[in-house]
Structures are given as structure tokens and as C-alpha cells.
Amino acid sequence: MADVEATSGIRLLAAILILIPTLCGLLLHTVLGVVLYSGWKTFRGNSFYLITVQLMCADVCALILDLYAAFPLTLTGVQYMGNSVAFYYVPLSFESIAFNGIFNLSLLLTVNRFLLFLYPGLHKKIFTSRGTKTLSLLVWAYVFTFIIASNVAGCHKEFNKEDFYYWYNCGNDSTANHIKQFILIDACVIPCAMTVMYIAIYIKIRVAKMGISASTRPSVNKEIRYVMQVKFATFP
């Protein structure tokens, strides 16, 4: 069956649906950046905000690359940068870095909240300022190692101009196929793990709120607000 090309109307609609959320996202990140910058002396030692700043930077990178690649390629159907390594494959590799950074930092942030509510003593030991920076460094080391390994194995990030999505072109090489399988498993396991942790947090909150005193309620409510922020940050 021959491939069906998207009509100009569909392209315009899809491009608008990419452009508007992207611009809104950049605007909201600008506001968040101003808030974090103005209160950084207060926030910089808090593990929640240390991870949030990294999430914000990774998301801004991904949104900018949507403006660079996803929006024009969707609108025109023409790969204006050609197959240039510098102007096509390298920017899309950065999109992979940003996406995987968001994905894995979201998991780290979920673990942060999970330990805070269920194992506060362990949270206090692990998520110190130095501990959070060390864990973040490990996350980024994993992300860069994965991206380099996948590119060496022949899995390259591309953008489908007809169906409007990013995908990994892994070819038929056995090593590349193993990478592709790992990507699929990773994409299933991490969201499932995060969901289980949030369910556990929800149960813990419901049980804990029945027995907390009036003096500790403000602190608990504050942490619940943090959980809601994490939920919206990690499950867009």
C-alpha cells in the first residue's frame, strides 16, 4: 500500500497544534525561570528545586528543537536542512538528550517524593544538596551514554514528516534492534514504576491525614502541594 501524504490543511492544523503549546510552554518556563532565579538563594539547597531546574532546562531545549524541526517539517513536509549531520542529525540528537533527560529526571523526582513520604529518614540521607547533585550527574551520565551508544549502534533520531512524530530509525542491524527493544522496555517500565510510586504516596497521604495533629498539618499540606507539582511536571 502506497504511503498517503498529508494534505496542506492537515499540515497547517498539525503545525498550529505544535506551535501554540510550544510557545505557551516556553512562556511558562520563562515565568518559572524568573521565579526560581529570584528565590534561588532559598531554593538552591532543596532537592525538589534542584531537580526541577534541570527538568525545566531540558524541556526548554526540547521545545526549542520543536520550533527548529517539528514545526517547519510538519508545516511544509520539506526537510529544509537536508540530511546534514550538523543541521539535522545533531539537533535531533540533542532532542533525544532533552527527552531522555526529562524522562529520567522525572523518575528521579518521583523517587524523591516517594522517599519523602514513605521513608523520610532515607530521603534525608540521600537527597541532600550534594546527594541530589550526584544523582543528577549519574542520570545525565546515563542519558549521554545511552544516546552515544544508540547512535554508534545505528539508531538515529528522525522526524516523520507525514505522521508528525519523532522516532528512532534503527535499521535492521541486530545491535540496533536490541537498542530499539531496550527503548521500548524503558518506555514502559519507567512510567509504570512512577505510577506505582504515586499510588503508594496517595495511599500514604490518605492514611496519614487521618492521624496528623494540627501542628504538623501545614507541613504535610506543603509536601502535598509539592507532589501535585511533580505530578503535573512528570505527567504532562
Side-chain angles (χ1 to χ4, degrees):
M1 181 177 177
D3 292 337
V4 178
E5 293 188 3
T7 64
S8 57
I10 291 176
R11 287 194 177 281
L12 178 60
L13 177 61
I16 291 172
L17 292 175
I18 291 172
L19 179 63
I20 293 176
T22 299
L23 293 177
C24 289
L26 289 171
L27 177 61
L28 291 173
H29 279 306
T30 301
V31 174
L32 176 60
V34 171
V35 172
L36 290 176
Y37 179 78
S38 63
W40 187 242
K41 289 183 179 180
T42 303
F43 298 148
R44 63 184 179 183
N46 187 297
S47 60
F48 175 85
Y49 287 102
L50 287 173
I51 301 171
T52 298
V53 168
Q54 296 174 76
L55 272 168
M56 182 187 73
C57 292
D59 199 30
V60 167
C61 179
L63 291 172
I64 290 173
L65 287 167
D66 281 342
L67 291 178
Y68 174 79
F71 172 69
L73 295 182
T74 297
L75 182 62
T76 65
V78 177
Q79 196 164 305
Y80 68 94
M81 68 287 283
N83 288 318
S84 167
V85 172
F87 296 106
Y88 183 66
Y89 288 106
V90 169
L92 290 193
S93 291
F94 277 102
E95 198 282 335
S96 292
I97 292 169
F99 174 80
N100 283 280
I102 293 168
F103 201 49
N104 289 280
L105 286 170
S106 296
L107 175 62
L108 180 62
L109 196 55
T110 303
V111 171
N112 177 284
R113 298 294 94 182
F114 175 78
L115 292 180
L116 177 64
F117 278 91
L118 276 77
Y119 304 99
L122 187 58
H123 175 274
K124 189 174 181 180
K125 292 179 181 179
I126 294 176
F127 284 99
T128 60
S129 178
R130 177 176 292 182
T132 303
K133 292 174 183 177
T134 301
L135 289 172
S136 299
L137 182 61
L138 290 174
V139 167
W140 286 112
Y142 165 76
V143 168
F144 276 93
T145 300
F146 168 73
I147 297 302
I148 292 171
S150 62
N151 277 275
V152 170
C155 280
H156 303 292
K157 195 72 169 281
E158 296 185 7
F159 185 79
N160 188 305
K161 300 183 292 296
E162 299 304 325
D163 295 321
F164 321 132
Y165 62 88
Y166 292 104
W167 66 297
Y168 283 97
N169 185 356
C170 293
N172 295 317
D173 181 79
S174 59
T175 304
N177 281 326
H178 287 314
I179 293 288
K180 187 175 181 179
Q181 289 298 319
F182 176 79
I183 293 171
L184 293 174
I185 293 171
D186 197 47
C188 293
V189 171
I190 289 181
C192 289
M194 291 168 63
T195 300
V196 169
M197 283 188 277
Y198 278 119
I199 291 172
I201 291 171
Y202 174 78
I203 294 172
K204 176 68 175 181
I205 290 172
R206 294 293 296 178
V207 172
K209 287 188 75 173
M210 297 177 184
I212 61 174
S213 63
S215 61
T216 58
R217 188 177 295 273
S219 177
V220 172
N221 288 338
K222 179 181 178 181
E223 295 301 337
I224 291 173
R225 288 196 297 271
Y226 281 164
V227 169
M228 294 307 298
Q229 292 173 34
V230 175
K231 178 182 180 297
F232 289 118
T234 56
F235 289 96

